[in-house]
Amino acid sequence: MDHRPQAWGRPRDDVYGAYDHSYFQNTGPRQATQAPIVTGTSVIAIKYKDGVVMAADNLASYGSLARFPDVKRLRVFLDSSVIGFSGDVSDMQFLDRHLTELSIDEAYEDPSSDNKGHLNAANLHKYLQKFLYKRRNDFDPLWNQLLIAGFDGDAKPYLASVDLRGTSFTSPSLATGFGSALAQPIMRRYAATEEDAAKLTREQAVEVVKECMKVLYYRDARSLDRYSIAVVTKEGVELKEDEQLEKQSWAFAERIKGYGTQTV
Amino acid sequence: MFRNNYDNDSVTFSPQGRIFQVEYAAEAVKQGSVVVGIASKTHAVLVAIKRNAEELSSYQKKLFPIDEHVGIAIAGLTSDARVLSNFMKQQCLGHRLTYGRNMPVRTLVDMIGSKAQINTQHYGKRPYGVGLLVAGVDDHGPHLFEFQPSGMTEEMVAFAIGARSQMARTYLEKNLEAFADCGREELIRHGLKALKESLVQDRELTIDNTSVAIVGVEKQEDGTTKPQPFKVYDGQDVSAWIESVADNAEAAPAAAEGDGMDVDS
C-alpha cells in the first residue's frame, strides 16, 4: 500500500494498473471554448405600451438530451431589468455571477435610501455588448445570445439583443436561436414597428408570448413545456419561473409524415 | 537646529500622530486663490477668483469642465490639478463608452479620493498639492463635493477652499438654509457674495478676475428632468452678475432677476 500523500485519493496501481498521467499534461496549446456543451434554447421577448414581456423555457440540454429540466434562464437585474440567456449554460452562470457583482457595486454606490442603483436596461445592454465583444476579441467568447429588457434613460420600454460576437441590435420584438425562425414571425404580426408595439396591451403581449412558447414547444426538439415568463413594468419586474404550457393540441402530429420509424 | 525629523516623507508618523507631508499639502491648497461652490435642489454652481502672476500676464483659469455633466474648481498647484483633471476626463469618457451614461458624481469623486490617498501611504510619493470642488449632476440631481490632498472627499451643501476661504465659509454658513430652494441666478449671486467676503481690503470682483460655472437639471414640459451641461462663464459674460452683487446694487436688487439673464448667446 502506498501511503505517500501524492497517492491519496488515486486509484490503486495494484488494482487498476498504472495511472495515465497524460491526462494531467497541459503543455498543449490553450484552448478556448470551441462549442457550447450544455445549452438553453430560444428566448423570446416583445415590447408593449408600458413595458416588455420576455419568456424562455426551463430546459438545459446536453446535446439532444433533455438533461436539466429546471434551469431558470431569465435573470432580474436591480429589480428593473430582465436578461434572458440562450446558449451555453456554464457561460450563463458565469455572466450571472458577474452581473450579481455588478449590481452589488451599483447598489453600493447609490446613496439614495432604496439602494437600488440606476443602471438601466440600455446601460446594461451597452455594458454586456462591450463585455461579450471583449471576450470574442480574446478568442474566448462567451457562447450566449442575450436579450435585455427594461427601460432606457427616457423611461421608454427597451429591448435589445447581444450575441457571442458582440453584435447588438434592438427591435420591438426579439427572439434568439430557433425562436428567430419560429416565434419572430408570429410576434411581428402584432408588433412589426415601434408604433404597433406601443398600441399593445400587457394582456395582448403576454398572450402572444405564450402562443409563441407553444409553437416553439411543438416544433423545437430542444424545448420544454415548463417555462419562465417575466413582465417588466415601471413598477418593477414580475417573474414567474414555473409556468406550464396550456391547451396544447398535438392533433397535427398525426399528419406529419417522413420522420422516425414509419415506412409509409 | 529645530529641524523637524518627521516630515521627510508621507509614510512616517510624528510622535504626535501627525503626517506632516499631508499637512503641508493642505497648506498648498490654502495658498491658492479662493473658490466657492454651492448646490441647490436644481443647480450646482462654482465661482472663483482668478489671479494673474503680474500685471501684464493673463489670469490663471480656475474652473474646468470634466465631462458634459461635471466640472471642477481648483485651489493649489495648477499642475497637480491638471493630472487629476485629465484622469477624471478619461474616467468619464470610459464610463460613457462602456455604459452609455454620465458617470455618477460620487463614483468619480471616490476614484480621485482613492488615487490621492495612495500618494499619502507610499515612500517616495507626495500628496497632490491641490484641493478641488467638484460640481455635477446625475440621476440623483445636483451634487457638490470637496476633495482634499489627503484623499478625503465629502459631499457638501456649500463650501469654499483657498486663501482666506474662512470668510466665505462664514457667509455660506449664515445663509445655509436658503440654498436648497435657490434658482440658478440666486445661487450665483450667493456664490459671488461669498467670494466677495474673502477679498482683501481694496480688491473687488471684476470681469477679469471672476469665473462662474453652472450645472443643473431643468424641468421639461412633460415633467421629466433633463441635465443642463456644465458651462463656464468668463469675462464679459459675468459682468451682469458682478453688477448685481455690487455694494451699491443692494438697494435695488437684481434688475435681471426672474427672466434669467441672456448670457448664452
Side-chain angles (χ1 to χ4, degrees):
Chain A
M1 184 74 193
D2 187 355
H3 290 289
R4 291 171 306 146
Q6 299 92 299
W8 292 356
R10 291 268 169 77
R12 286 169 58 183
D13 289 357
D14 54 332
V15 179
Y16 298 100
Y19 189 78
D20 182 1
H21 282 277
S22 69
Y23 288 111
F24 268 134
Q25 281 178 11
N26 45 9
T27 48
R30 203 182 76 87
Q31 279 200 336
T33 316
Q34 304 284 302
I37 306 299
V38 178
T39 58
T41 184
S42 326
V43 182
I44 61 171
I46 188 169
K47 284 201 234 182
Y48 70 97
K49 71 177 156 73
D50 13 60
V52 191
V53 183
M54 188 187 284
D57 67 31
N58 291 350
L59 178 67
S61 311
Y62 179 65
S64 61
L65 173 71
R67 181 65 183 82
F68 303 103
D70 55 354
V71 173
K72 313 293 189 279
R73 298 192 291 126
L74 299 188
R75 184 201 195 281
V76 179
F77 186 81
L78 289 176
D79 206 27
S80 58
S81 310
V82 173
I83 303 146
F85 299 86
S86 61
D88 194 90
V89 168
S90 61
D91 285 352
M92 170 187 94
Q93 291 168 336
F94 168 79
L95 278 166
D96 182 53
R97 286 194 293 273
H98 184 79
L99 288 168
T100 302
E101 223 164 276
L102 182 72
S103 63
I104 289 171
D105 287 349
E106 179 67 13
Y108 189 62
E109 279 169 12
D110 184 3
S112 67
S113 54
D114 62 354
N115 268 177
K116 271 213 210 125
H118 34 260
L119 206 65
N120 61 37
N123 300 147
L124 185 62
H125 170 244
K126 175 84 96 192
Y127 177 76
L128 287 168
Q129 191 258 317
K130 304 283 168 189
F131 195 77
L132 291 174
Y133 183 61
K134 198 262 172 194
R135 289 294 298 259
R136 91 113 224 195
N137 279 347
D138 293 344
F139 289 94
D140 188 13
L142 292 166
W143 221 285
N144 297 104
Q145 187 175 355
L146 317 178
L147 296 189
I148 295 110
F151 292 88
D152 64 10
D154 300 324
K156 296 216 165 57
Y158 183 86
L159 173 61
S161 148
V162 56
D163 72 6
L164 71 165
R165 285 169 272 258
T167 319
S168 79
F169 40 84
T170 82
S171 167
S173 63
L174 282 171
T176 72
F178 230 165
S180 61
L182 296 174
Q184 186 68 286
I186 301 171
M187 291 192 286
R188 287 219 180 113
R189 285 214 290 267
Y190 298 91
T193 63
E194 293 289 346
E195 291 74 39
D196 294 340
K199 284 182 204 136
L200 281 182
T201 64
R202 176 185 167 143
E203 289 69 31
Q204 284 173 312
V206 168
E207 207 43 54
V208 173
V209 165
K210 284 186 174 171
E211 186 61 27
C212 288
M213 290 309 287
K214 196 148 69 179
V215 171
L216 282 169
Y217 182 54
Y218 286 152
R219 308 203 60 184
D220 178 359
R222 308 284 169 269
S223 67
L224 199 67
D225 55 352
R226 301 206 83 85
Y227 65 100
S228 306
I229 185 164
V231 183
V232 198
T233 63
K234 284 203 177 71
E235 282 71 46
V237 179
E238 293 157 55
L239 175 61
K240 287 183 274 189
E241 289 190 311
D242 197 22
E243 295 293 286
Q244 169 75 39
L245 280 183
E246 284 159 355
K247 295 192 220 102
Q248 294 175 42
S249 165
W250 289 89
F252 70 92
E254 283 178 31
R255 291 177 312 229
I256 295 178
K257 293 264 159 73
Y259 297 98
T261 51
Q262 61 189 336
T263 47
V264 187
Chain B
M1 221 166 90
F2 296 110
R3 231 174 68 88
N4 189 342
N5 289 316
Y6 298 99
D7 67 351
N8 289 315
D9 54 65
S10 57
V11 299
T12 312
F13 277 110
S14 82
Q16 286 76 39
R18 297 160 63 180
I19 297 169
F20 283 107
Q21 281 295 325
V22 176
E23 292 184 20
Y24 297 162
E27 286 303 313
V29 178
K30 294 180 190 158
Q31 307 275 336
S33 63
V34 65
V35 291
V36 173
I38 314 177
S40 75
K41 281 179 193 159
T42 54
H43 292 84
V45 302
L46 298 172
V47 293
I49 296 288
K50 292 182 286 186
R51 279 204 289 231
N52 53 349
E54 48 185 300
E55 203 52 34
L56 296 169
S57 75
S58 63
Y59 287 78
Q60 172 58 47
K61 279 183 68 182
K62 299 280 286 177
L63 307 180
F64 298 91
I66 297 297
D67 198 0
E68 251 178 50
H69 69 300
V70 210
I72 55 169
I74 66 169
L77 301 182
T78 311
S79 39
D80 282 11
R82 202 184 75 96
V83 175
L84 286 171
S85 154
N86 284 344
F87 174 78
M88 290 166 87
K89 284 178 184 178
Q90 280 187 7
Q91 293 302 319
C92 283
L93 227 46
H95 195 89
R96 192 176 292 284
L97 194 74
T98 40
Y99 296 96
R101 66 166 183 182
N102 292 334
M103 183 177 243
V105 186
R106 181 183 290 273
T107 313
L108 179 65
V109 172
D110 284 351
M111 285 175 130
I112 53 167
S114 319
K115 189 173 159 69
Q117 196 279 335
I118 288 168
N119 290 341
T120 68
Q121 228 177 0
H122 283 275
Y123 189 83
K125 288 187 185 290
R126 70 164 173 83
Y128 290 106
V130 70
L132 305 180
L133 292 180
V134 183
V137 287
D138 55 30
D139 289 357
H140 290 289
H143 298 282
L144 175 72
F145 285 91
E146 176 206 2
F147 161 84
Q148 285 290 331
S150 60
M152 187 222 66
T153 58
E154 194 151 38
E155 179 151 22
M156 294 295 193
V157 174
F159 205 58
I161 54 172
R164 299 164 57 85
S165 56
Q166 183 54 53
M167 311 286 282
R169 282 201 294 275
T170 307
Y171 173 89
L172 295 173
E173 281 164 24
K174 256 187 219 146
N175 295 277
L176 190 63
E177 308 299 328
F179 299 145
D181 298 311
C182 276
R184 157 194 155 110
E185 301 300 320
E186 237 178 312
L187 213 54
I188 293 169
R189 269 199 299 281
H190 274 304
L192 290 175
K193 281 180 191 164
L195 214 54
K196 276 171 70 136
E197 295 287 324
S198 31
L199 285 175
V200 282
Q201 199 77 98
D202 49 350
R203 300 264 290 170
E204 51 187 20
L205 299 178
T206 68
I207 58 166
D208 294 318
N209 74 2
T210 311
S211 274
V212 174
I214 312 162
V215 64
V217 282
E218 268 179 350
K219 264 246 155 55
Q220 300 287 97
E221 282 153 23
D222 60 353
T224 59
T225 54
K226 195 178 163 229
Q228 184 185 49
F230 185 88
K231 191 167 189 316
V232 182
Y233 299 89
D234 281 306
Q236 213 55 56
D237 292 339
V238 300
S239 65
W241 287 317
I242 292 174
E243 278 163 33
S244 75
V245 295
D247 293 332
N248 49 18
E250 297 290 339
E257 188 161 24
D259 54 350
M261 272 175 288
D262 190 12
V263 289
D264 286 321
S265 50

